[in-house]
Amino acid sequence: MGWAQRAAIVVVPFIAGVLWFGRRESAQALVKFHGGRVHDLLHSYFYFRWNTVYLKPVKYVLEHPERFSESIYRGAGRRLMQTHHSKVLDTGTARRLVGIEEPIRVNNSEQVLPFEKARDIILDNPGSIAVTDCACRKLAGDPCGPLDVCLVLGEPFVSFVVEHQKDNARRISPAEALAILEREHERGRVHTAWFKDAAGDRLYSICNCCSCCCLGFRALSHGFDVVASSGYVARVDNEACVLCEACKDACHFGALKVAETVKIDPDRCMGCGVCTRECPENALSLQEDPTKAHPLVLP
């Protein structure tokens, strides 16, 4: 094979790729975002373009550990944990995130997000928000409703998912995003901030999760710490508690047991605050736990 043929093998696919990605402005912005990092660009394009397809094999592996060797299964889980993970948010922090008006840059330490990478909050266009259908719920056999619970934050990600109509994506205002958070809070969902290597190792989404559909929660139940605590833990006022078990039924993490008193397992409690909302006697509250990952503090 001559040099011309060898050059063509490299140059032709490169030119075709440039023409493909350059068809839409949002794709051009994604190319610019990743610079010359072709692998990161392709990874990002596939993840944001076909999110449900991307997550389908993750779901399969999680649900069929018996079909893989222990080393492969655990190795894949550890890889997932370091490159795609979330932090539970109390409702107040979630509200502040969607209400940010100025560009921010928060370089989170491992004390806040206990992962090697993908833990920064960089919002260059904080008012740019989209809502999409949840990929985890779309993959579930009998999903919880509604589906439109995932908020994509900042550029170039918002423009990309909207322009490509990924999972019924549509632009929304910060006020509409806040309304979705409130709607899902009333349903007892858990607010989670998601970080991904394909998003430039930064925050890209807030989802409103349930334990029956969320793949992150599923991974957590299999021993993969892909979800970090909010930094808080629930505490009970036993004098006010009437042992109604509303908190136990509402908990997504199996952290509460009710007998003669309410017992809270601090290792299982993620500090989401769902139980505090459900308690009719206001007997539960969130308190910072110094043994857990630190709370996310925004400027």
Side-chain angles (χ1 to χ4, degrees), residues 88 190 211 217 220-223 225 227-230 232-234 251-257 263-273 289 291-292:
V88 171
V190 179
S211 54
F217 289 5
L220 191 66
S221 70
H222 283 273
D225 296 328
V227 182
S229 163
S230 69
Y232 300 96
V233 68
C251 183
H252 292 269
F253 306 102
L256 295 104
K257 293 182 179 179
K263 300 291 186 182
I264 299 170
D265 184 342
D267 293 329
R268 285 180 171 270
C269 179
M270 302 300 286
C272 64
D289 186 343
T291 68
K292 294 182 178 288

Side-chain angles (χ1 to χ4, degrees), residues 74-255:
R74 290 292 155 187
R78 285 191 294 271
R79 168 67 180 171
L80 172 68
M81 183 174 70
Q82 293 300 334
T83 60
H84 192 188
H85 42 252
S86 70
K87 186 173 181 68
V88 171
L89 304 175
D90 63 278
T91 302
T93 302
R95 289 171 181 152
R96 288 192 291 276
L97 262 177
V98 301
I100 291 172
E101 297 180 351
E102 299 294 331
I104 66 166
R105 180 179 292 266
V106 179
N107 299 109
N108 288 302
S109 68
E110 285 190 64
Q111 284 72 42
V112 176
L113 279 154
F115 307 103
E116 294 175 3
K117 58 185 297 185
R119 58 179 187 239
D120 294 334
I121 296 178
I122 302 171
L123 293 177
D124 296 324
N125 304 89
S128 185
I129 305 174
V131 62
T132 73
D133 291 347
C134 175
C136 294
R137 293 188 184 182
K138 290 182 72 175
L139 287 171
D142 184 21
C144 298
L147 295 181
D148 59 336
V149 295
C150 286
L151 305 177
V152 181
L153 307 177
E155 297 296 346
F157 315 119
V158 168
S159 291
F160 185 88
V161 298
V162 171
E163 191 168 11
H164 290 81
Q165 282 297 292
K166 176 256 180 188
D167 293 332
N168 298 314
R170 65 183 188 278
R171 286 187 183 274
I172 59 174
S173 68
E176 290 172 305
L178 183 60
I180 290 172
L181 289 177
E182 297 294 344
R183 181 192 76 189
E184 296 309 303
H185 177 66
E186 290 297 314
R187 287 192 169 95
R189 311 299 193 209
V190 179
H191 309 309
T192 51
W194 286 89
F195 299 74
K196 181 86 173 93
D197 55 349
D201 289 337
R202 63 173 71 176
L203 168 76
Y204 70 96
S205 176
I206 294 177
C207 200
N208 299 279
C209 303
C210 57
S211 54
C212 43
C213 298
C214 177
L215 291 180
F217 289 5
R218 186 84 52 89
L220 191 66
S221 70
H222 283 273
F224 299 115
D225 296 328
V226 299
V227 182
S229 163
S230 69
Y232 300 96
V233 68
R235 299 288 188 224
V236 61
D237 178 353
N238 285 310
E239 292 186 0
C241 177
V242 296
L243 303 177
C244 68
E245 300 194 7
C247 57
K248 176 186 173 183
D249 295 339
C251 183
H252 292 269
F253 306 102

Side-chain angles (χ1 to χ4, degrees), residues 24-59:
R24 296 184 175 182
E25 289 185 8
S26 62
Q28 294 175 22
L30 201 66
V31 171
K32 183 177 180 181
F33 175 79
H34 287 289
R37 301 183 301 278
V38 178
H39 174 270
D40 292 343
L41 170 61
L42 294 174
H43 184 190
S44 183
Y45 188 95
F46 188 85
Y47 177 76
F48 285 103
R49 184 72 175 85
W50 298 289
N51 188 228
T52 304
V53 175
Y54 183 102
L55 291 176
K56 193 170 184 178
V58 175
K59 181 177 186 289

